[in-house]
Amino acid sequence: MASTTDLMAGILLLLLMASAPATAQKAPLTPSPSPSPAPAPAPHLVNLTHLLSVAGPFSTFLRYLQQTDVISTFQNQVNNTDQGITIFAPTDAAFSSLKKPSLANLTRDQLRSLLLSHALPQYYSLAEFRNLSQRNPVTTFAGGQYTLNFSDASGLVRVDSGWANPRISSSVISTDPVAVYEVKNVLLPVAIFGAAPPPAPAPAPAPDLTKPSDLAPSAGEAGGSSSPRSANSPDGSSSCRVDAGTVGYFLLALVGEMMLRL
Ligand SMILES: *[C@@H]1O[C@H](CO)[C@@H](O)[C@H](O)[C@H]1NC(C)=O
Ligand SMILES: *[C@@H]1O[C@H](CO)[C@@H](O)[C@H](O)[C@H]1NC(C)=O
Ligand SMILES: *[C@@H]1O[C@H](CO)[C@@H](O)[C@H](O)[C@H]1NC(C)=O
Ligand SMILES: *[C@@H]1O[C@H](CO)[C@@H](O)[C@H](O)[C@H]1NC(C)=O
Ligand SMILES: *[C@@H]1O[C@H](CO)[C@@H](O)[C@H](O)[C@H]1NC(C)=O
């Protein structure tokens, strides 16, 4: 008796497992009549918000641009000027690797200036940076002391904010009014953060982070309580048995109910 019910339960389970993926696969295929994409009525204007949200991982940069409404300033330059715009877009990794001077304590005006200093109020193709390097320091969209220096070492073009000088290599877009170049560092301006520290060969200080102090007590607790727990091994094994028992019981109940329905 027991063996036959086991067999039937097994068959039922097999049937269930076999049928489940089939229905799951059918489901996504059936709603194939997707809404047909409407033909874009917009003119040639680049939508910077859209561009930055689909290109690269620039979500942090875009979020800051939206927070400060600098995105409107940039978009306005695209919309209403002949000069166009050149934007240096730091990747999400560039923001997440920022530690020493963090952006957390900047005033709104400072943050706005920092973001504006990631753009030039004119379109520059990659080839034109060669000429720009002869006009250092180049005033950014933020104006005043917010400048960038460009260098061109036999085709290797870099942009230098004083704190960072990433390569300008990959262009997200470079079509006359709009150029967006991906950069691997946030261009921290000297005008906000002061003179950059000399490039030391990474002594890795970082003494007062909150994380180590938070982790230390919990690690100590875990270490202290782990030895008593291992001594009281019956606790662990009994909980395992209970789990296995409940699972088995649940399965049997499920199968039994289904057999009743059949
Ligand atoms: C630009 O793109 C964003 C994101 O795709 C969208 O929300 C916004 O409506 C667009 N703006 C215009 C003027 O088309
Ligand atoms: C830019 O132009 C688009 C399309 O004409 C328009 O929808 C958008 O509001 C404009 N944005 C700005 C900031 O001028
Ligand atoms: C930010 O300001 C807080 C409070 O004024 C201060 O404790 C903290 O050290 C500052 N952090 C940075 C990175 O300047
Ligand atoms: C660079 O400047 C020179 C004149 O100084 C000009 O003839 C040349 O076309 C410029 N190159 C680019 C790529 O703008
Ligand atoms: C940029 O170049 C100018 C002129 O060569 C120089 O005085 C300035 O210190 C440079 N700034 C940075 C941040 O390298």
Side-chain angles (χ1 to χ4, degrees):
M1 280 296 282
S3 60
T4 51
T5 48
D6 278 352
L7 192 67
M8 290 178 75
I11 290 169
L12 267 172
L13 279 175
L14 276 175
L15 281 173
L16 272 175
M17 287 164 78
S19 62
T23 49
Q25 273 177 358
K26 270 178 199 165
L29 286 177
T30 35
S32 48
S34 58
S36 58
H44 293 143
L45 292 177
V46 168
N47 181 337
L48 286 176
T49 305
H50 180 71
L51 180 71
L52 290 171
S53 63
V54 296
F58 299 128
S59 52
T60 310
F61 186 52
L62 179 58
R63 204 178 61 235
Y64 277 126
L65 290 177
Q66 289 173 322
Q67 249 176 42
T68 55
D69 205 30
V70 167
I71 191 73
S72 298
T73 309
F74 286 174
Q75 186 67 55
N76 210 45
Q77 178 79 2
V78 173
N79 283 15
N80 301 320
T81 66
D82 293 335
Q83 290 87 6
I85 194 168
T86 299
I87 298 173
F88 303 105
T91 57
D92 284 352
F95 281 99
S96 59
S97 67
L98 272 185
K99 290 188 192 85
K100 203 65 179 298
S102 92
L103 308 186
N105 283 10
L106 297 186
T107 67
R108 188 184 160 84
D109 280 349
Q110 284 175 324
L111 190 56
R112 266 185 69 86
S113 295
L114 180 142
L115 294 164
L116 288 166
S117 74
H118 281 72
L120 307 174
Q122 190 169 341
Y123 166 79
Y124 292 104
S125 70
L126 206 45
E128 283 167 330
F129 286 118
R130 191 179 297 263
N131 279 7
L132 260 190
S133 62
Q134 289 153 19
R135 294 203 274 124
N136 285 338
V138 177
T139 302
T140 65
F141 219 123
Q145 299 173 325
Y146 291 88
T147 59
L148 293 172
N149 282 358
F150 294 86
S151 65
D152 172 22
S154 57
L156 181 64
V157 179
R158 288 180 179 277
V159 56
D160 188 355
S161 77
W163 282 80
N165 70 331
R167 285 183 68 164
I168 305 170
S169 48
S170 154
S171 73
V172 176
I173 185 177
S174 182
T175 311
D176 192 348
V178 181
V180 177
Y181 301 101
E182 177 182 310
V183 288
K184 301 274 192 246
N185 300 100
V186 180
L187 302 174
L188 301 178
V190 168
I192 292 177
F193 296 100
D208 59 335
L209 284 172
T210 50
K211 277 178 185 174
S213 57
D214 283 344
L215 285 174
S218 65
E221 278 174 32
S225 56
S226 70
S227 46
R229 241 178 233 157
S230 60
N232 293 348
S233 57
D235 270 347
S237 55
S238 72
S239 70
C240 279
R241 264 186 233 128
V242 167
D243 282 353
T246 3
V247 169
Y249 175 77
F250 181 74
L251 271 179
L252 276 177
L254 189 76
V255 167
E257 194 188 55
M258 292 179 67
M259 285 174 76
L260 278 177
R261 280 185 191 170
L262 288 175

